[in-house]
Amino acid sequence: MNTRYEPVIVGFLCNWCSYRAADLAGMARIKYAPNMRAIRVMCSGRVDPQFVLKAFREGADGVMIAGCHPGACHYVEGNIKALRRVTLLRALLKQWGIEPERTRIVWASASEGSVLADAVNHMTEQLCALGPLKWKQNQCIGQPRPLPVEV
Amino acid sequence: MKYGYYPGCSLEKNASAYHESAMAVCAPLDIQLQEVDDWNCCGATEYFSIDLLPAFALVGRNLAQAARNKQSNQLVAPCSACFLNLKKTDRYMADSPALAEKVNQCLAAGDLAYEPGSLRIRHLLEIMVDDIGFKTIGEKVTRPLFGLRVAPYYGCMTVRPDLGKSFDNPEYPQGLDKLMKTLGAEVIDFPLKAHCCGGHMTQISEEVAMELIRRLLKNAAENNADIMATLCPMCQLNMDAYQEAVNKRFGTDYHIPILYFTQLMGLALGLPTTKLGFGKEFIKAEPILKKIRKEAPRKRRKKRLSKQALPVPSMAEED
Amino acid sequence: MVREKVGVYICHCGTNIASTVDVHEVAAWCGHQDHVAVSRDYKFMCSSLGQDLIVADVEERGLTRIVVASCSPHMHEKTFRGACLRAGMNPYYLEMANIREHISWATNDKAAATQKAKALVKAAVERVVHHQALEPIPVKIEPATLVVGGGIAGISAALELAEAGYPVYLVEREPSIGGHMAQLDKTFPTLDCSACILTPKMVDVAQHTNITLLTYSEVEQVSGHIGNFQVTVRKKARHVIEDNCTGCGICEEKCPIKVVDPVFEAGLGRRKAIYRPFPQAVPKFPVIDVDHCTYFLKGKCKLCEKVCLANSIDFKQKDEVLDLKVGNIILATGFDLFDVGRIPHYGYGRLANVFTSLEFERMVNAAGPTQGTIVLRDGITAPKSVAIVHCVGSRDKKYNEYCSNVCCMYSMKFAHLVHERIPRAEVYNFYIDIRASGKGYELFYHRLLREGTHFIRGRVSEVTDAARLPAEEGKLIVQVEDTLIGAQRRIPVDMVILSAGLEARCDSQEVAQRFGLGCDFDGFFVERHPKLDPVATMTEGIFVAGACQGPKDVPTSVAQGAAAAARVIGSICRGTLMLEPVKARIHSELCSGCKICNNLCPYQAIEYHSETKVSEVATALCQGCGTCVAACPSAAIQGAHFTNDQVMAEIEGILWDKKGKEEEAAVMA
């Protein structure tokens, strides 16, 4: 059994800004929490809410969606659409017992390596405090309610 | 509309004309000014130069008293120096928690406290321009000041320093100009309108103050102003009470009455001069008021200087 | 499903990766994973030997997919795709795992790094088996080009294209081409006569068989995509029949209506109601200003029609709407001068002898309203002292923070012209810094110093007529803090010239939207990359040149115009452009016609077909962002190379070590 719980964050990084920001963080040798595992998408607007759900189901403790700053999206406004989806998704996830802090949207332009690194550190810290994802216990579906007995 | 009202020391005696005329114009414009309970002097420009903490605390006491008015969180000050002191103190307390703590410690001695940002501090001109608006004032004008050439004089403390969200342009304000225009007067756009009148230099270094006052009078006279409209008791005092002294010292012959903008507003709203504090000024204004005509002056077409003259740029007429 | 054979290559990158990630362990571990046929680690995968490894394995072991765990795909995706291609494999069967920038360079924790590397490689393996063979998409390029804006940048671009043998439509809003450069008298630093160097180019444009000149015209609508743009241009009615007009100019001479010309003469001179903006206008046909023409206002006069010997006046002429088909578009719409009226304490408008830089340009121009004589507003008196105020509206938090690039140079040019025409005049230049960065510019500055110009370093606080001393009476006083001597100064002069900055055109936002471009916060058009790609935009096939992209001088505008033309010529020469196949495609059998995707697309690339009741993506317009893919409730849209299957598999792979742990944690809680 592990002595310290290390959260795993699945990151969806957009090709033009945030992925490059992560590259830059590495190139600048900025050391930050290794807990975020990046998946590249062309635009944060590509992130289907189903990806987020899948990640949680497969065991991720948190999901980070990183895109360009509003107004600077390479595809005009994909990041705004991502923001809309994530806002609704968080509300939905809350109802299922998944804390809203586990889904986060971050803006980082291609030159902001340190911004991304800080965001990862911050989220890792938050998730350490929250503990592992235990959504199955936080709500009770799956157990069918007993049918009323006919008298 | 209800506001807290901080008259300041000048309005009690020196600038009683300002106080009277301000009270008089508030009624037709539906402005209710509720005087701050047990207010004290704001320290004017002197105290801040001597000792900062007592100066802030002095103003802080006024803020604390004003904040007790549950009916309005807005505080109106007609005097520019009072206005600036109140606004400055509130702003600096908000920016520096350390200062706020110290000031509140001082105030605690009198069972008072002030939370920075809880009051919105306004100048009387600001209320007229932003809250009442030119349209409403224009509708209430019954005796337009046609034919009267007014030089609007802001002084330096109303619009500077720019503490953020200043209600007018710090270099070239326009609010008073537009207000005078709404009253039907012919407005002189005189470039020294936001230049210093000398303030308390009349007491400290008369030579400097006289020069500053002379420049303002000269500029107003050069632009053919009949009257100057002010909004600060200090400016009014300097320009008015020392006008003869300036004439004597420099051999000039200025006779420009210096009135408060509220006095002119009162006239235009049809109120009698007796209710507006007329007659208290040194350079008498009544004779100049005879210049007011019944009909609007004809719009003078811009004449070309000569056949060879180059076209002058057309500046968009401001609404 | 066919069993894929994935080759996995873990790169050491010297010690860059190997010193933190245990590359041997990762390679060995990968060898046991599903789908992996061979797993190696190697010192430098990007080297020719490293690439040969891949090629050899593909050939010998019949590999069907490749995973390279090394640096960022932004570095070497192209390299390894090339290797795949050489091995006879579709280049899109490659996936990279970024274990350098994202792992070994970002942490010192070796255990965590190795664990994470395994996750990223496994993710890549799981993803790559879902990759499909993709081919770049060919798009035919229409050889005609649209150049919008007939200033020096637009002219430069048009001539390059025409000389290369390709047809060009040059659309210009004003009645003549020439732009702001036509208004100038001399150009810095050579003091070449602007008209002398510009007009031959203008004539070339008019006479070139490959250029269709559409002046007094505006682009109304743009649709389509690179290689195939449909553009609607409105040719406004000049009320002059171009086929008949000989350009003799009698109509202009005889017209009784004179008005102030706010455009070409910058408000300093006058023109007639029927006019050519300047004598060397191209084309030579005049235009009737319907807002001031007596016939259009009152139905009388018609003098021009009476005196015209060539029967060219047509009061009934209508606007003409043209539909053009072009392959590429170059925007060269130029700049507007900063409105100095926004700074009231500089006195423009109130003080007669305060002039803007464009007004002064017209004044010194030999063909201008004063025939080149420098006089005050009264039109007669020559000034004995002139103040030139730099940085009006520029380098200023209250107005524009950026530097407008050319003002120092043109301010010094003005100083020189004053010295030249009024030899004993005192000239003062008030500056913050002297920006003289081009070729010969610094030497020009030295020349001005030798000519006796007074350079005062300080931002002018006020221009006023309120005199304090007898010597200031009747003058314009410039109040400034001379920061080099540390004192306030008041300098009385006769004339003040405000060197206003350059701004984006007032309608640049609207124009940008019409063409599908972006504007930056200052209104200038956004280039694809500020350093490496200053002429292309984010939209394929649309380029920018000249001051509309940012303030710049004439040589830079010419260079940019030529650069944009070169890019266009390149694409025309290729005849066909290969677009990246990362595009969306709607499976019509799955589409329910809900139209949710239609409004989401920022490129309006999705069209709803009312007959078949399904939507379709126009492949050439699609930029591949994937927003529609994520939004489709029926999963009817597939985003090539970023399909749901691929990403879901990647997610599964990336969480290989967490699978089942969730249940475990639940049980233990």
Side-chain angles (χ1 to χ4, degrees):
Chain A
M1 186 63 222
N2 287 357
T3 44
R4 178 188 141 91
Y5 151 68
E6 284 293 342
V8 170
I9 304 166
V10 173
F12 293 96
L13 271 52
C14 79
N15 181 57
W16 301 96
C17 280
S18 46
Y19 193 91
R20 285 182 201 252
D23 280 354
L24 182 61
M27 285 194 268
R29 306 297 193 276
I30 299 175
K31 307 288 182 241
Y32 58 102
N35 304 57
M36 191 272 288
R37 299 175 183 177
I39 290 181
R40 184 165 72 131
V41 287
M42 289 311 281
C43 176
S44 50
R46 172 69 185 92
V47 179
D48 195 322
Q50 290 183 82
F51 293 169
V52 181
L53 298 178
K54 172 86 170 173
F56 282 128
R57 222 182 48 221
E58 293 295 317
D61 299 297
V63 173
M64 175 189 281
I65 297 158
C68 315
H69 286 277
C73 177
H74 182 82
Y75 302 101
V76 189
E77 41 177 40
N79 51 359
I80 307 294
K81 288 154 190 158
L83 182 62
R84 294 204 301 234
R85 290 186 190 129
V86 169
T87 313
L88 283 173
L89 187 63
R90 283 169 99 180
L92 199 65
L93 291 172
K94 198 166 161 197
Q95 292 178 22
W96 293 346
I98 299 177
E99 301 91 323
E101 292 85 3
R102 296 190 185 271
T103 314
R104 166 171 300 199
I105 195 160
V106 168
W107 309 130
S109 79
S111 53
E112 292 178 343
S114 51
V115 168
L116 192 73
D118 286 341
V120 173
N121 283 339
H122 184 83
M123 193 171 181
T124 306
E125 224 177 276
Q126 262 200 327
L127 293 178
C128 275
L130 267 177
L133 181 62
K134 296 190 286 244
W135 66 274
K136 276 209 177 119
Q137 291 128 288
N138 289 344
Q139 49 86 60
C140 41
I141 64 159
Q143 288 299 339
R145 277 215 306 236
L147 293 165
V149 175
E150 284 248 56
V151 176
Chain B
M1 296 181 72
K2 288 199 171 77
Y3 302 91
Y5 179 58
Y6 177 81
C9 309
S10 313
L11 266 77
E12 301 260 278
K13 279 279 170 343
N14 266 343
S16 54
Y18 199 1
H19 181 76
E20 273 173 52
S21 51
M23 290 297 131
V25 299
C26 282
L29 294 174
D30 192 29
I31 301 172
Q32 280 134 50
L33 298 175
Q34 291 157 339
E35 198 168 313
V36 173
D37 192 38
D38 191 26
W39 55 269
N40 53 269
C41 173
C42 75
T45 47
E46 277 80 352
Y47 216 171
F48 278 97
S49 325
I50 299 172
D51 200 343
L52 279 179
L53 185 56
F56 280 122
L58 192 69
V59 182
R61 187 176 175 282
N62 288 316
L63 291 169
Q65 290 288 99
R68 288 162 106 192
N69 181 353
K70 293 297 166 225
Q71 294 196 28
S72 176
N73 71 332
Q74 303 205 60
L75 181 61
V76 176
C79 166
S80 302
C82 302
F83 163 72
L84 184 60
N85 282 347
L86 290 163
K87 194 162 183 189
K88 207 164 69 171
T89 305
D90 175 55
R91 170 63 189 272
Y92 292 173
M93 280 175 78
D95 284 348
S96 163
L99 176 68
E101 203 188 305
K102 282 213 182 87
V103 171
N104 276 317
Q105 266 176 14
C106 298
L107 296 179
D111 286 325
L112 290 169
Y114 178 65
E115 175 71 38
S118 41
L119 284 175
R120 210 179 136 204
I121 294 147
R122 324 283 304 282
H123 192 284
L124 187 61
L125 176 66
E126 192 183 343
I127 304 296
M128 299 299 172
V129 169
D130 287 343
D131 291 4
I132 310 298
F134 302 120
K135 190 158 172 288
T136 313
I137 296 172
E139 282 161 8
K140 298 234 154 67
V141 169
T142 53
R143 250 197 333 183
L145 308 173
F146 293 138
L148 192 66
R149 294 171 64 84
V150 177
Y153 179 60
Y154 297 77
C156 54
M157 291 206 258
T158 320
V159 287
R160 291 193 294 273
D162 186 357
L163 292 168
K165 294 198 268 183
S166 181
F167 73 93
D168 211 334
N169 187 321
E171 303 258 12
Y172 218 77
Q174 291 284 313
L176 186 58
D177 297 53
K178 291 186 194 158
L179 180 60
M180 291 295 120
K181 201 157 170 216
T182 312
L183 301 178
E186 194 179 325
V187 177
I188 310 294
D189 182 20
F190 92 106
L192 299 187
K193 61 178 156 179
H195 282 229
C196 182
C197 69
H200 287 105
M201 296 302 272
T202 43
Q203 315 304 316
I204 303 166
S205 171
E206 202 176 297
E207 205 178 302
V208 173
M210 289 286 133
E211 172 59 23
L212 291 175
I213 296 168
R214 179 195 75 90
R215 286 177 194 171
L216 290 168
L217 291 169
K218 176 174 182 291
N219 200 234
E222 264 169 3
N223 283 289
N224 298 316
D226 293 323
I227 227 167
M228 255 171 101
T230 59
L231 36 74
C232 168
M234 190 81 250
C235 300
Q236 200 280 340
L237 183 74
N238 278 5
M239 303 293 291
D240 184 33
Y242 289 88
Q243 205 168 127
E244 279 304 325
V246 165
N247 281 337
K248 227 193 224 152
R249 194 197 196 100
F250 295 103
T252 49
D253 193 28
Y254 300 122
H255 292 285
I256 305 172
I258 319 287
L259 293 175
Y260 291 102
F261 77 98
T262 40
Q263 291 178 293
L264 291 169
M265 277 182 80
L267 278 180
L269 293 175
L271 300 168
T273 52
T274 43
K275 288 238 158 58
L276 298 171
F278 275 84
K280 299 193 178 147
E281 65 279 359
F282 282 87
I283 310 292
K284 297 292 168 210
E286 298 256 16
I288 305 292
L289 298 181
K290 293 201 178 70
K291 279 197 162 186
I292 300 177
R293 293 203 293 272
K294 286 262 184 299
E295 306 93 37
R298 257 205 318 221
K299 260 200 148 83
R300 264 178 278 132
R301 266 182 69 191
K302 256 188 178 158
K303 266 182 73 192
R304 256 169 78 170
L305 299 165
S306 77
K307 213 166 185 308
Q308 278 157 297
L310 299 165
V312 179
S314 55
M315 301 302 282
E317 272 298 319
E318 293 232 66
D319 194 24
Chain C
M1 197 179 95
V2 179
R3 274 216 52 161
E4 302 299 342
K5 290 164 140 189
V6 183
V8 176
Y9 301 88
I10 315 291
C11 184
H12 296 213
C13 194
T15 51
N16 280 310
I17 297 175
S19 59
T20 315
V21 173
D22 189 339
V23 287
H24 299 296
E25 198 199 306
V26 176
W29 177 85
C30 283
H32 301 296
Q33 299 307 306
D34 285 344
H35 314 293
V36 177
V38 63
S39 175
R40 300 184 193 287
D41 62 270
Y42 187 67
K43 269 213 160 15
F44 294 104
M45 277 311 295
C46 54
S47 66
S48 46
L49 289 174
Q51 293 181 56
D52 286 345
L53 264 184
I54 297 175
V55 178
D57 277 345
V58 169
E59 284 169 359
E60 287 158 29
R61 292 165 186 262
L63 298 179
T64 55
R65 300 282 191 277
I66 304 290
V67 167
V68 178
S70 57
C71 50
S72 171
H74 285 133
M75 282 238 55
H76 279 305
E77 190 171 55
K78 212 165 167 184
T79 316
F80 296 120
R81 276 188 181 164
C84 290
L85 202 58
R86 280 198 307 280
M89 185 194 272
N90 186 289
Y92 292 89
Y93 282 155
L94 167 86
E95 181 66 10
M96 285 179 74
N98 186 336
I99 61 172
R100 189 182 71 171
E101 280 87 336
H102 288 193
I103 305 184
S104 66
W105 275 351
T107 184
N108 287 326
D109 183 340
K110 292 189 186 171
T114 310
Q115 186 80 344
K116 189 170 170 178
K118 287 179 182 172
L120 292 191
V121 178
K122 179 119 172 114
V125 170
E126 292 296 327
R127 190 195 206 282
V128 83
V129 299
H130 292 274
H131 279 201
Q132 288 143 343
L134 296 170
E135 298 297 333
I137 299 165
V139 170
K140 219 168 96 54
I141 304 290
E142 173 66 46
T145 311
L146 174 70
V147 176
V148 184
I152 188 62
I155 289 173
S156 167
L159 284 173
E160 291 286 339
L161 285 161
E163 281 297 297
Y166 300 112
V168 183
Y169 295 101
L170 179 54
V171 174
E172 165 59 50
R173 180 191 295 198
E174 295 301 321
S176 167
I177 54 174
H180 283 293
M181 194 176 165
Q183 294 175 291
L184 312 181
D185 178 43
K186 303 264 187 297
T187 52
F188 58 76
T190 49
L191 298 173
D192 278 307
C193 153
S194 180
C196 307
I197 55 177
L198 179 62
T199 41
K201 285 203 185 275
M202 287 166 57
V203 171
D204 280 347
V205 166
Q207 293 180 339
H208 210 294
T209 42
N210 283 335
I211 301 181
T212 308
L213 187 53
L214 299 165
T215 53
Y216 210 49
S217 307
E218 281 199 62
V219 173
E220 286 203 325
Q221 219 195 9
V222 180
S223 61
H225 52 83
I226 178 175
N228 197 349
F229 288 106
Q230 284 88 44
V231 182
T232 312
V233 174
R234 175 176 293 269
K235 202 161 179 278
K236 296 183 285 196
R238 292 178 114 95
H239 300 287
V240 168
I241 304 166
E242 292 178 22
D243 288 333
N244 297 353
C245 176
T246 59
C248 69
I250 284 185
C251 52
E252 206 177 344
E253 213 186 294
K254 301 287 182 201
C255 176
I257 303 296
K258 229 183 189 184
V259 291
V260 172
D261 181 352
V263 180
F264 191 78
E265 296 288 8
L268 201 72
R270 294 181 173 83
R271 58 159 169 80
K272 300 292 181 74
I274 182 169
Y275 71 101
R276 271 180 303 200
F278 51 99
Q280 311 98 323
V282 168
K284 57 182 186 282
F285 316 121
V287 150
I288 295 185
D289 174 7
V290 302
D291 293 328
H292 291 106
C293 167
T294 314
Y295 174 76
F296 283 99
L297 290 174
K298 298 182 201 159
K300 299 204 184 91
C301 186
K302 284 195 172 184
L303 189 58
C304 49
E305 194 184 48
K306 291 183 195 129
V307 298
C308 177
L309 299 164
N311 221 352
S312 321
I313 307 290
D314 177 9
F315 292 105
K316 303 249 181 308
Q317 196 181 65
K318 296 263 172 282
D319 291 350
E320 209 184 313
V321 176
L322 301 158
D323 285 307
L324 307 173
K325 203 158 94 155
V326 295
N328 290 279
I329 300 177
I330 300 177
L331 284 169
T333 48
F335 67 90
D336 272 342
L337 200 68
F338 171 79
D339 175 14
V340 300
R342 290 169 63 186
I343 309 181
H345 38 282
Y346 281 175
Y348 181 73
R350 190 178 68 84
L351 300 169
N353 291 319
V354 175
F355 295 87
T356 66
S357 40
L358 267 180
E359 280 184 315
F360 191 72
E361 285 281 4
R362 292 312 304 152
M363 189 189 286
V364 293
N365 192 306
T370 63
Q371 286 85 51
T373 336
I374 299 174
V375 282
L376 296 176
R377 204 61 82 160
D378 64 4
I380 314 167
T381 325
K384 291 201 202 67
S385 47
V386 178
I388 303 171
V389 180
H390 291 217
C391 301
V392 175
S394 302
R395 305 188 70 191
D396 195 333
K397 280 202 156 80
K398 294 200 283 276
Y399 309 104
N400 294 319
E401 285 202 46
Y402 58 87
C403 167
S404 291
N405 200 311
V406 301
C407 321
C408 275
M409 286 309 295
Y410 80 58
S411 302
M412 292 197 284
K413 176 184 75 176
F414 289 166
H416 169 78
L417 290 171
V418 174
H419 284 303
E420 189 186 68
R421 295 176 197 192
I422 310 175
R424 271 190 281 279
E426 296 291 349
V427 182
Y428 302 89
N429 280 53
F430 299 92
Y431 69 99
I432 307 177
D433 293 287
I434 294 292
R435 296 197 157 171
S437 54
K439 247 182 157 165
Y441 290 13
E442 187 71 19
L443 281 169
F444 190 69
Y445 170 46
H446 293 179
R447 177 182 184 168
L448 265 299
L449 285 168
R450 282 196 306 273
E451 286 177 2
T453 318
H454 306 285
F455 281 94
I456 298 176
R457 192 183 85 174
R459 191 192 264 283
V460 168
S461 65
E462 197 180 32
V463 174
T464 182
D465 58 351
R468 288 183 193 172
L469 303 162
E472 293 180 354
E473 292 290 343
K475 298 269 198 191
L476 290 176
I477 302 127
V478 177
Q479 171 128 9
V480 66
E481 183 194 347
D482 185 338
T483 55
L484 288 175
I485 64 172
Q488 286 264 351
R489 290 176 74 170
R490 284 171 69 90
I491 299 174
V493 293
D494 294 323
M495 176 194 263
V496 174
I497 304 170
L498 301 174
S499 296
L502 274 54
E503 283 188 329
R505 291 272 184 197
C506 53
D507 61 351
S508 67
Q509 290 266 21
E510 211 186 290
V511 171
Q513 270 188 341
R514 203 174 299 166
F515 287 89
L517 293 184
C519 283
D520 64 15
F521 291 118
D522 298 309
F524 294 106
F525 297 143
V526 175
E527 61 289 301
R528 185 172 275 222
H529 191 284
K531 292 218 98 75
L532 297 176
D533 210 348
V535 290
T537 61
M538 294 299 195
T539 311
E540 293 262 15
I542 304 197
F543 301 88
V544 286
C548 61
Q549 182 254 350
K552 53 178 66 71
D553 56 14
V554 169
T556 320
S557 301
V558 170
Q560 257 201 342
R567 295 289 286 273
V568 170
I569 291 170
S571 86
I572 299 173
C573 280
R574 280 198 300 276
T576 312
L577 197 68
M578 302 307 272
L579 297 179
E580 271 278 315
V582 177
K583 306 267 180 194
R585 190 168 87 87
I586 298 178
H587 291 261
S588 47
E589 66 275 13
L590 296 172
C591 175
S592 65
C594 71
K595 298 204 263 179
I596 285 178
C597 56
N598 293 29
N599 291 329
L600 281 177
C601 181
Y603 303 98
Q604 286 114 50
I606 310 185
E607 206 190 308
Y608 175 71
H609 296 298
S610 41
E611 329 83 54
T612 45
K613 297 213 173 32
V614 291
S615 295
E616 191 188 351
V617 176
T619 314
L621 280 175
C622 172
Q623 300 290 316
C625 67
T627 306
C628 57
V629 183
C632 178
S634 316
I637 312 183
Q638 192 188 60
H641 209 54
F642 287 88
T643 65
N644 282 350
D645 287 343
Q646 288 162 4
V647 180
M648 293 294 200
E650 197 175 349
I651 297 173
E652 280 181 31
I654 222 173
L655 291 164
W656 73 278
D657 54 343
K658 294 287 272 186
K659 238 186 173 41
K661 288 272 173 68
E662 209 276 330
E663 272 85 2
E664 201 182 288
V667 164
M668 298 191 85

